[in-house]
Amino acid sequence: MNLTLKIWRQKGPQDKGQMVDYKVTDISEHMSFLEMMDVLNEQLVNSGDEPVAFDHDCREGICGMCSMYINGEAHGPDRGITTCQLHMRSFKDGDTIYIEPFRAAAFPVVKDLVVDRSSFDRIQHAGGYISVNTSGNTQDANSIPISKVDADEAMDAATCIGCGACVATCKNSSAMLFVGAKVSQYALLPQGQVEAADRVMNMVAQMDLEGFGNCTNTGACEVECPKGISLENIARMNREYMKATTKG
Amino acid sequence: MTTLNSKVPKGDNLSEKWSKYKEHINLVNPANKRNIDIIVVGTGLAGGSAAATLAELGYNVKAFCYQDSPRRAHSIAAQGGINAAKNYQGDGDSNYRLFYDTVKGGDYRSREANVHRLAEVSGNIIDQCVAQGVPFARDYGGLLDNRSFGGVLVSRTFYAKGQTGQQLLLGAYSAMNRQIARGKITMHNRHEMLDVVKVGGKARGIIARNLITGEIERHSAHAVVIASGGYGNVYFLSTNAMGSNATAAWKIHKKGAYFANPCYTQIHPTCIPRSGDYQSKLTLMSESLRNDGRIWVPKNIEDVKAIREGKLKPTQIAEENRDYYLERRYPAFGNLVPRDVASRAAKERCDAGYGVNATGEAVYLDFASAIQRYGKEQAKIHNINNPSESKILELGEAIVEAKYGNLFQMYEKIVAEDPYKTPMMIYPATHYTMGGVWVDYNLMTTVEGLYCIGEANFSDHGANRLGASALMQGLADGYFVLPYTIGDYLADDIRTGTISIDSKEFDDAEKEVKERLDFFINNEGTHSVDYYHKKLGKIMWEKCGMARNKKGLEEAIQEIQEVREDFWKNVKVPGSLNEFNQELEKAGRVADFLELGELFAKDALNREESCGGHFREEHVTEDGEAKRDDKNFAYVAAWEYTGKPSEAILHKEQLEFKDIELKTRSYK
């Protein structure tokens, strides 16, 4: 199929940036969206132009690196997938496709479609861990029985890949789904309960400091999340936060 | 010339070596650790766990990764699980059995003492990860669940759905975060190591490029740890992440670290087949699928043709017209034979014309009988008498979904077929590299103060890696081995003081790095970097792939040299130096692959035997199985760089098997 691409080009964080038109031809419906971008970039390099910078790595939907806004949706039109899992069979011959970076104040553009998501890392530094030494002297794993239901729910929360689609799609650029998932994982497990109050307080404080907006329960994040992280995690984080602030 | 000394502790029983070693090494006083810097390159399971542990011990750690966050290291993509000899199942597992299975599974080409140590610490890894909050699968009693994997007869694999690597990496990442918050790890995201700096023969720092600004930086330390993963992307198409590269490992090789057994590359049997020439990478489906999936191709060639032409569906082929070739050839292990055996068996059937997709490179992985079995079992559990066929399917599919749901979803997204209703198509693809930088028992390379851990080193997996043992090795090295061994070395460094970056050695290394980058930007070439990478990949797959022969390997060496020569004349890299430039990043990496590929072929040519992932067509038994030659090749081939890969000098580390008798591997 033949397509018209309208792609956001921006040289660096200070550059103003603009949409630029490109044409690609002979695109197979079996290609992934990123392979289609590879075809475009090969074309650009061969004609002496600069290829479009975009983040991608594992190309199997798990590393969370790919981060495009396609036709106004994070990771494009299909549900429950990342951009690398989007295939060209989701488009039609002759389509015009708009491709932009994830936009949020806390995700500044590095170049073209690449954004800086290190704010997520800093939220994790603020408390996204259990304080246990890596000594090899921890107690036997089976001495901490965990109900299957809790373990499975913790796993569902832990499935978050930190791609930032929730932020990109939220009208408030809120990171509550991401932070909620992290807080939930530990809230559901017996390990790390000792520091649970500090954890949620510190992570939420860092989230605010990074410039993410608040949650107004629109639910767009849940719809766009490639890993199906549920809004329930935001509710759980709010409960944990409430518990922490009313403690003592 | 450096001599090879494995430094395996002498004398003691194998099972006592590691504990005795730990009791006798030199320790560094906590107050002195504060004055010692360690660089860790790569933040996957090995690098991440090492960085966290070293920082926790009190060293100052400078960690580097090319991704935007350590959490994106490719360890995150590992699916199936991690082995540990916990014997929670009571099915006869023990440290010795895990050790035995690993040495046998590696076709007797790994180092006994290292593997035994790996088995010994495996249980600790699970305890550690659980304490960190890794949500492993549990049974209804709240205890940890296990599953089995290829090549073994016990159930020792711990898992977190099909995302075990992700959860273990996030565990190591969280441990790192704790140390970053404490200021003990300085994290350098989006940085690439482009050379190691040696001062007085010791590794004392690195030259790195800030991938956002393009700035070339100098970083010094008392020791350098390379944990940069494998070199599978030498094939262009592999299951590795697109950015996975060999640069750090290859650069230290050029600076004196020997490179061992590069020809040992694992071709993983259960990947989604290639669909066209545009393809950028291959996707792995966890080997755990083979617990429940049965592998087959049609018995009759007419059926194969009809399937390819779309006139027949696989579900229409009667049971008696299917060839479950693994169950037929290897009755004891069936679909659970090790990866090298399963891969070659698939190739054998496809080469014979029985491949079931358009390219003729696919076999079926069928879950129909598992769905039936689980469905009937569930009906009994739920007291449903005379369940209808659709009820059985519904109940059975629910169980399969709980076990492998994300893998099935992934398959459906890529292939656009529902694997619950029709068998999956799979084919082998390059996955994991067992070869790598040569290290001694301390995990130190042939350069003093330069360590190499995880997939980037060579020591534990031999010629073939059993499923769920890569994660085990990465975390064992990082959490429990290196933190001891590196202390023994650093105990001599407590009075050294900070290593200056203003020295001739740093000047020279930086100059070399800059000249190379300048060349790429200024070269007026005609072909893109990918053009060369694809060319190299094609040569590697065709001549150094699942089966190799003398003629092909000699041709490969010649052809790789030609491609490399052309690359240095005609490669074109757009953009400039001092900016985010992904083409420039790729150019440096492909330049290294173009050298590594040649050494790979040379190593494969030298190894006149078949073992594990290395299958020489000249060395087969009468029934077509790999034929090992223990008399002449029970050694590690460690190559010394001399300026040209084809002129590398071979050093041999003779492997000793005192606790295990060398036997022909049979899974029949």
Side-chain angles (χ1 to χ4, degrees):
Chain A
M1 54 180 116
N2 301 326
L3 304 162
T4 303
L5 308 174
K6 292 182 175 290
I7 303 180
W8 184 260
R9 301 301 307 256
Q10 183 173 344
K11 280 190 180 311
Q14 307 309 325
D15 184 49
K16 200 158 156 264
Q18 58 172 333
M19 297 298 283
V20 179
D21 287 10
Y22 298 96
K23 294 229 181 285
V24 283
T25 52
D26 292 330
I27 298 298
S28 153
E29 60 167 12
H30 297 300
M31 278 182 191
S32 72
F33 195 85
L34 297 185
E35 282 164 352
M36 184 278 293
M37 292 294 288
D38 292 341
V39 170
L40 169 71
N41 275 348
E42 184 80 10
Q43 195 176 301
L44 292 175
V45 173
N46 287 338
S47 62
D49 292 328
E50 269 203 58
V52 179
F54 61 94
D55 264 334
H56 63 98
D57 205 16
C58 79
R59 295 204 177 188
E60 43 191 279
I62 189 76
C63 77
M65 191 102 169
C66 56
S67 55
M68 293 177 196
Y69 220 64
I70 301 162
N71 285 343
E73 288 183 274
H75 298 301
D78 287 3
R79 295 282 84 86
I81 54 166
T82 52
T83 305
C84 63
Q85 295 172 300
L86 175 66
H87 280 71
M88 296 312 291
R89 60 181 83 97
S90 300
F91 299 90
K92 290 193 306 291
D93 188 30
D95 273 359
T96 298
I97 307 175
Y98 290 80
I99 309 170
E100 297 165 84
F102 280 5
R103 295 186 192 276
F107 288 170
V109 172
V110 172
K111 186 179 182 180
D112 297 339
L113 306 174
V114 177
V115 299
D116 176 0
R117 286 167 284 185
S118 52
S119 46
F120 271 13
D121 285 323
R122 290 188 290 273
I123 294 172
Q124 292 277 88
H125 302 164
Y129 50 80
I130 290 171
S131 298
V132 54
N133 287 351
T134 53
S135 59
N137 296 319
T138 39
Q139 61 191 320
D140 185 86
N142 259 353
S143 65
I144 318 171
I146 301 171
S147 97
K148 179 165 166 50
V149 177
D150 288 344
D152 286 352
E153 250 187 283
M155 177 65 205
D156 287 345
T159 300
C160 165
I161 56 172
C163 65
C166 49
V167 172
T169 202
C170 174
K171 64 184 192 292
N172 307 322
S173 297
S174 167
M176 298 264 281
L177 195 68
F178 169 77
V179 183
K182 298 290 154 202
V183 169
S184 277
Q185 179 191 346
Y186 298 126
L188 286 158
L189 297 171
Q191 308 93 311
Q193 287 300 325
V194 177
E195 53 191 338
D198 287 344
R199 176 180 303 116
V200 68
M201 297 285 280
N202 292 341
M203 289 180 83
V204 168
Q206 187 65 34
M207 174 179 87
D208 291 343
L209 202 63
E210 294 290 346
F212 292 103
N214 220 321
C215 172
T216 48
N217 293 314
T218 312
C221 54
E222 185 186 64
V223 176
E224 292 292 350
C225 174
K227 296 298 160 188
I229 305 292
S230 124
L231 280 180
E232 177 63 30
N233 293 296
I234 296 181
R236 191 177 290 108
M237 177 177 77
N238 286 335
R239 286 200 297 277
E240 289 290 312
Y241 190 80
M242 196 67 81
K243 248 196 318 199
T245 47
T246 54
K247 204 172 86 172
Chain B
M1 191 178 74
T2 324
T3 49
L4 280 181
N5 177 359
S6 71
K7 304 219 173 110
V8 172
K10 299 278 176 239
D12 308 307
N13 285 336
L14 196 55
S15 57
E16 289 172 8
K17 279 186 198 289
W18 178 232
S19 46
K20 284 204 173 170
Y21 170 93
K22 283 193 291 184
E23 283 160 11
H24 291 96
I25 50 171
N26 293 315
L27 298 177
V28 181
N29 168 340
N32 287 328
K33 284 182 186 144
R34 287 197 286 273
N35 301 322
I36 289 182
D37 303 320
I38 302 175
I39 284 172
V40 179
V41 178
T43 55
L45 286 181
S49 58
T53 309
L54 294 171
E56 183 186 289
L57 286 171
Y59 299 108
N60 304 310
V61 175
K62 305 171 183 181
F64 295 79
C65 70
Y66 75 79
Q67 299 91 342
D68 70 332
S69 163
R71 62 164 295 143
R72 307 207 203 279
H74 196 54
S75 302
I76 202 149
Q79 297 167 349
I82 176 166
N83 286 336
K86 283 283 204 182
N87 196 28
Y88 283 158
Q89 306 292 346
D91 55 2
D93 204 4
S94 65
N95 286 351
Y96 182 82
R97 197 176 285 277
L98 173 53
F99 157 70
Y100 175 86
D101 285 343
T102 308
V103 171
K104 177 191 171 198
D107 226 349
Y108 306 94
R109 292 293 177 267
S110 47
R111 193 189 283 146
E112 245 190 357
N114 287 51
V115 180
H116 200 280
R117 174 172 69 188
L118 178 68
E120 283 174 63
V121 304
S122 65
N124 282 346
I125 299 173
I126 305 302
D127 298 341
Q128 182 65 48
C129 295
V130 166
Q132 284 168 354
V134 170
F136 281 119
R138 301 264 168 176
D139 62 24
Y140 282 99
L143 302 178
L144 290 154
D145 202 4
N146 287 119
R147 60 184 170 203
S148 58
F149 252 63
V152 299
L153 297 172
V154 293
S155 200
R156 68 160 69 101
T157 306
F158 294 78
Y159 65 102
K161 284 198 174 166
Q163 290 125 279
T164 315
Q166 176 192 33
Q167 292 311 314
L168 295 175
L169 181 67
L170 293 182
Y173 167 68
S174 72
M176 282 182 83
N177 284 330
R178 177 166 169 249
Q179 301 303 330
I180 293 170
R182 293 171 66 196
K184 292 304 293 180
I185 295 179
T186 315
M187 190 62 226
H188 299 270
N189 297 338
R190 291 205 201 259
H191 274 66
E192 184 158 49
M193 168 187 160
L194 292 178
D195 211 349
V196 64
V197 181
K198 276 168 46 178
V199 181
K202 294 178 176 178
R204 291 300 200 189
I206 64 168
I207 304 294
R209 180 169 180 266
N210 177 329
L211 299 180
I212 293 185
T213 62
E215 197 184 338
I216 303 300
E217 301 173 357
R218 303 175 178 197
H219 297 275
S220 69
H222 297 83
V224 175
V225 181
I226 303 298
S228 55
Y231 49 86
N233 273 351
V234 69
Y235 284 91
F236 184 72
L237 283 182
S238 82
T239 65
N240 287 5
M242 299 295 284
S244 295
N245 64 85
T247 289
W250 192 251
K251 289 292 169 19
I252 66 168
H253 172 55
K254 291 175 88 164
K255 286 282 167 77
Y258 292 0
F259 206 94
N261 301 334
C263 76
Y264 290 164
T265 305
Q266 179 175 85
I267 313 287
H268 196 292
T270 50
C271 299
I272 299 179
R274 201 172 64 90
S275 64
D277 287 335
Y278 51 78
Q279 196 131 349
S280 60
K281 72 158 291 192
L282 296 167
T283 301
L284 174 83
M285 306 293 288
S286 167
E287 184 181 28
S288 62
L289 292 172
R290 289 199 278 145
N291 278 321
D292 283 314
R294 298 179 69 194
I295 295 174
W296 63 277
V297 290
K299 257 187 199 159
N300 305 318
I301 201 85
E302 308 81 59
D303 288 346
V304 174
K305 281 183 191 137
I307 283 175
R308 283 195 202 159
E309 286 161 10
K311 290 177 189 158
L312 200 61
K313 290 193 177 117
T315 46
Q316 292 170 309
I317 297 187
E319 204 54 31
E320 62 270 22
N321 292 326
R322 300 175 177 196
D323 176 15
Y324 295 95
Y325 58 86
L326 288 177
E327 298 169 38
R328 167 170 60 81
R329 285 177 62 177
Y330 309 99
F333 281 72
N335 294 297
L336 286 175
V337 291
R339 295 174 175 183
D340 59 327
V341 178
S343 294
R344 277 198 296 278
K347 181 177 192 294
E348 189 277 327
R349 281 294 80 196
C350 291
D351 286 352
Y354 290 87
V356 292
N357 68 348
T359 61
E361 291 184 339
V363 299
Y364 287 127
L365 178 63
D366 196 338
F367 288 85
S369 62
I371 290 171
Q372 284 288 333
R373 178 161 46 87
Y374 286 126
K376 286 175 186 159
E377 194 178 288
Q378 287 297 305
K380 281 212 177 85
I381 291 170
H382 293 102
N383 284 324
I384 303 170
N385 293 321
N386 301 320
S388 65
E389 185 57 23
S390 65
K391 190 68 191 172
I392 290 172
L393 287 180
E394 183 196 319
L395 293 167
E397 283 176 9
I399 297 292
V400 169
E401 187 184 357
K403 287 181 118 174
Y404 315 109
N406 70 312
L407 302 170
F408 275 52
Q409 185 219 21
M410 195 166 79
Y411 181 87
E412 186 171 0
K413 288 293 173 197
I414 293 175
V415 184
E417 272 184 9
D418 179 0
Y420 293 98
K421 306 292 178 208
T422 184
M424 285 183 182
M425 287 182 288
I426 53 162
Y427 195 69
T430 307
H431 180 50
Y432 186 95
T433 50
M434 284 79 67
V437 177
W438 186 89
V439 290
D440 62 19
Y441 188 71
N442 300 323
L443 306 180
M444 199 199 276
T445 68
T446 42
V447 174
E448 242 188 298
L450 183 58
Y451 291 78
C452 189
I453 60 177
E455 187 180 352
N457 79 20
F458 88 102
S459 58
D460 294 10
H461 305 300
N464 172 53
R465 182 178 65 79
L466 289 181
S469 67
L471 305 186
M472 178 170 63
Q473 191 218 339
L475 291 179
D477 285 359
Y479 282 139
F480 304 129
V481 180
L482 180 78
Y484 286 99
T485 62
I486 205 169
D488 188 43
Y489 169 77
L490 290 170
D492 294 334
D493 244 340
I494 54 175
R495 289 178 196 87
T496 309
T498 311
I499 310 289
S500 170
I501 55 167
D502 296 317
S503 63
K504 186 176 178 303
E505 290 86 352
F506 271 95
D507 289 346
D508 290 349
E510 182 178 313
K511 186 164 164 274
E512 207 179 308
V513 164
K514 280 187 166 163
E515 280 172 0
R516 190 167 152 118
L517 292 167
D518 277 334
F519 167 83
F520 285 131
I521 292 296
N522 295 320
N523 193 46
E524 310 234 324
T526 44
H527 294 300
S528 70
V529 176
D530 277 355
Y531 167 88
Y532 290 102
H533 198 176
K534 285 178 183 170
K535 274 197 154 187
L536 173 67
K538 201 159 182 293
I539 299 169
M540 295 302 294
W541 183 248
E542 281 171 8
K543 297 180 173 168
C544 313
M546 262 190 284
R548 298 126 189 211
N549 60 48
K550 182 166 187 284
K551 182 169 165 283
L553 290 166
E554 282 167 352
E555 284 166 10
I557 291 173
Q558 180 72 29
E559 286 168 26
I560 293 167
Q561 285 174 356
E562 285 162 17
V563 175
R564 191 169 66 228
E565 204 174 309
D566 188 38
F567 172 85
W568 285 103
K569 273 188 199 140
N570 292 318
V571 71
K572 172 153 96 178
V573 180
S576 60
L577 280 177
N578 300 315
E579 63 165 347
F580 188 77
N581 187 338
Q582 292 169 315
E583 287 293 307
L584 181 61
E585 293 170 30
K586 277 197 287 187
R589 295 168 188 168
V590 171
D592 293 333
F593 279 132
L594 282 165
E595 293 178 348
L596 190 152
E598 189 179 327
L599 184 68
F600 185 129
K602 183 181 168 72
D603 184 48
L605 186 60
N606 167 71
R607 192 161 283 278
E608 289 275 2
E609 64 163 350
S610 289
C611 65
H614 169 67
F615 188 76
R616 279 286 297 267
E617 286 167 356
E618 300 93 330
H619 303 284
V620 288
T621 61
E622 276 173 13
D623 52 353
E625 302 291 342
K627 193 169 155 196
R628 221 173 53 221
D629 178 357
D630 292 329
K631 192 161 161 276
N632 296 306
F633 288 94
Y635 65 73
V636 175
W639 299 95
E640 180 185 357
Y641 184 79
T642 57
K644 209 174 158 197
S646 55
E647 288 161 15
I649 298 169
L650 174 64
H651 299 265
K652 296 177 184 176
E653 178 196 339
Q654 202 61 38
L655 293 167
E656 292 181 345
F657 294 91
K658 289 182 179 155
D659 274 54
I660 293 184
E661 185 195 349
L662 273 75
K663 281 194 214 154
T664 302
R665 233 163 29 119
S666 169
Y667 296 90
K668 295 217 182 247

